[in-house]
Amino acid sequence: MADRSLRGMRLGAQSLQSEEGVTFSPRVSHTYLCATCERETVMVFSADAEAPDEWECRFCSQTATRLVDSKPVVVDHSDEKVARTHWDMLLERRTRPELEELLEERLTVLRERRGSHKVGA
């Protein structure tokens, strides 16, 4: 038992497991070309995983495009939604003349509350 002791071993420093009998999943390399800095980034993915068409360039942090047969893949961004602002959503519900009328009504209420109602302004 004394020959199997862990005397002098630092906790967490080394794994006591071996890679014996472990089979790794197949891997595939994909190359990405950055249009900004024109450098290539090689990424390794599992063979079962679907590689994304775009990846962040590790040199300049811009978007790099995957190369297939030494040519960049054409990425279709037409289905992406454009972020709508509060103003855009408001204009979907009301027209500009309606908004002008509502604004005038609210301004009138505020002016009357303050006692500085302006006639003809």
Side-chain angles (χ1 to χ4, degrees), residues 49-106:
E50 183 178 332
D53 290 333
E54 294 179 329
W55 196 264
E56 183 178 308
C57 177
R58 64 181 178 151
F59 301 104
C60 68
S61 299
Q62 296 298 317
T63 303
T65 309
R66 185 166 54 100
L67 295 177
V68 175
D69 299 328
S70 300
K71 294 179 183 174
V73 173
V74 177
V75 181
D76 183 23
H77 292 286
S78 62
D79 61 339
E80 291 182 6
K81 291 185 177 181
V82 177
R84 296 184 311 169
T85 63
H86 294 291
W87 179 249
D88 294 332
M89 290 185 266
L90 183 64
L91 288 177
E92 290 174 4
R93 294 186 307 244
R94 303 205 187 269
T95 63
R96 282 188 178 255
E98 289 175 329
L99 291 172
E100 290 289 334
E101 182 180 335
L102 285 171
L103 176 64
E104 266 315 306
E105 287 176 13
R106 294 308 302 163

Side-chain angles (χ1 to χ4, degrees), residues 1-2 4 23 38 43 69 76 80 94 102 111:
M1 185 76 172
R4 296 175 67 201
T23 56
E38 297 181 359
M43 298 301 301
D69 299 328
D76 183 23
E80 291 182 6
R94 303 205 187 269
L102 285 171
R111 287 178 185 140

